[in-house]
Amino acid sequence: MKEITITTKIIVFNTLQELPFVVQDLMEKAITVRKKAYAPYSKFRVGAAILLDNGKIVLGSNQENAAYPSGLCAERIAIFQAGSIYPDAKILKMAITAASSTNQTNAPIPPCGSCRQSIAEYETRQETPIEIYFMGEIGEIFLSESLKNLLPFMFEKKLL
Ligand code: THU
């Protein structure tokens, strides 16, 4: 018998101004697209902005549905859009922000498990890490320098 202990690394920024300028810009775009979310059921709006190595920025906001499971998260809308339009580009960075109209989110909001799995596919495919920055409406910004830091034991194609 043996034990495996996994540690992870998150870098914490106190304010948007502490971020590199390119990331501030990406997060501001995520905030703008967050406000366009269609979230009449949860009132929880999420915005995601992706920077590609061709310089393009691809955005997504969560889109809900009266049949609840038919809706989709902002992160997957953004990453599937990036994969559809620019299949050969590498994803460098992703900025995520979430805000609720019922209470102010001041803790960093990470991507859900399904979004992590979806992001993992792209990181594995491109063989370079994706930086993921995430925040609430206000407060600290967390940086995971690779999707792997958010999803230990990720399920990937080499396991098939
Ligand atoms: N949501 C996202 O857009 N991203 C996540 O990573 C977590 C949750 C959305 C889905 C739903 O529209 C709302 O937030 C509440 O769960």
Side-chain angles (χ1 to χ4, degrees):
M1 200 272 264
K2 67 174 182 176
E3 222 176 271
I4 300 173
T5 303
I6 297 171
T7 56
T8 196
K9 180 178 154 193
I10 295 288
I11 298 169
V12 180
F13 298 86
N14 289 312
T15 63
L16 282 174
Q17 290 69 38
E18 276 180 26
L19 296 169
F21 182 73
V22 68
V23 182
Q24 276 182 45
D25 180 60
L26 200 63
M27 190 58 88
E28 271 154 25
K29 288 187 167 63
I31 292 167
T32 302
V33 76
R34 184 190 78 205
K35 294 174 184 165
K36 298 179 185 172
Y38 177 61
Y41 305 106
S42 71
K43 318 271 188 227
F44 192 78
R45 292 167 181 267
V46 185
I50 289 175
L51 176 65
L52 302 174
D53 70 349
N54 61 10
K56 301 284 184 192
I57 290 177
V58 181
L59 307 174
S61 63
N62 54 326
Q63 300 293 312
E64 297 187 347
N65 193 286
Y68 292 0
S70 299
L72 197 61
C73 294
E75 297 90 324
R76 273 176 286 165
I77 288 177
I79 207 159
F80 291 161
Q81 191 180 180
S84 305
I85 305 173
Y86 305 109
D88 301 322
K90 285 191 177 188
I91 297 166
L92 301 179
K93 300 172 197 300
M94 184 166 194
I96 305 163
T97 170
S100 167
S101 43
T102 54
N103 62 300
Q104 194 173 51
T105 50
N106 56 12
I109 308 292
C112 75
S114 297
C115 289
R116 291 179 206 198
Q117 184 62 38
S118 296
I119 299 165
E121 186 71 25
Y122 291 84
E123 189 173 278
T124 306
R125 177 180 168 193
Q126 69 183 31
E127 296 177 338
T128 54
I130 300 173
E131 285 186 353
I132 303 169
Y133 294 81
F134 51 98
M135 67 178 299
E137 187 177 358
I138 56 165
E140 292 176 336
I141 303 106
F142 280 9
L143 161 61
S144 171
E145 292 174 305
S146 162
L147 187 275
K148 287 190 179 117
N149 293 349
L150 292 178
L151 192 62
F153 289 116
M154 72 187 196
F155 185 79
E156 52 183 317
K157 63 183 176 194
K158 73 175 185 208
L159 303 172
L160 290 172

